Amino acid sequence: MPTKKPDPEGKVLSKDPTKGKKKPAAPKKRKPHYVDNKKFLESIIVYKNKVKEAEASGNTEPRIDEYLGECFLKIATHLSFRPNFINYMYKDDMIADGYENCVQYIKNFNPEKSKNPFAYFTQIVSVSYTHLRAHETVLDLVCRLLLE
């Protein structure tokens, strides 16, 4: 309800008590993450069980399924857009190296110790990218700086 106050000339003014106050923020709608961590974990567990069965029967190690490959590629691609990696000249090679490291180190992921494969593989890709940047030659560095 507005309050009434007289102004210096004697006129009565209405003042809105809610004016200038912030409205409560509407709850933010969370976008679905680009990798579903639960489904990713389930897929890794299924893959690791297939690896155990193959080892027990003496067969070769099975290939990773399409979903795991997509997750690795999404992680590697998305991480390549971070500010510290965005201007890297050989981005496709960087993404491929991150993907390759994910496939290589899937054996080391232990679902009994961690229920967060997204964090594990993001860290693997990040270390891979940092390693590539650390071993840039002077010529690569000069070319990258000239392109920026």
Side-chain angles (χ1 to χ4, degrees), residues 56-118:
S57 64
N59 294 333
T60 60
E61 187 176 305
R63 291 182 171 196
I64 62 170
D65 65 1
E66 189 174 332
Y67 181 73
L68 282 176
E70 287 177 10
C71 289
F72 293 155
L73 188 60
K74 285 178 183 178
I75 290 170
T77 304
H78 192 70
L79 199 60
S80 73
F81 290 106
R82 295 213 28 196
N84 46 339
F85 304 124
I86 193 134
N87 291 324
Y88 189 67
M89 212 159 66
Y90 306 108
K91 189 176 272 194
D92 292 336
D93 293 339
M94 184 173 72
I95 292 170
D97 190 58
Y99 183 90
E100 181 182 357
N101 283 332
C102 287
V103 172
Q104 182 179 357
Y105 292 111
I106 191 170
K107 298 174 193 173
N108 296 349
F109 179 75
N110 187 352
E112 295 169 3
K113 288 184 179 179
S114 173
K115 302 294 182 201
N116 192 353
F118 176 78

Side-chain angles (χ1 to χ4, degrees), residues 132-146:
L132 280 174
R133 293 287 298 265
H135 294 308
E136 275 185 323
T137 65
V138 175
L139 182 61
D140 292 336
L141 186 60
V142 169
C143 288
R144 186 166 55 86
L145 291 174
L146 287 174

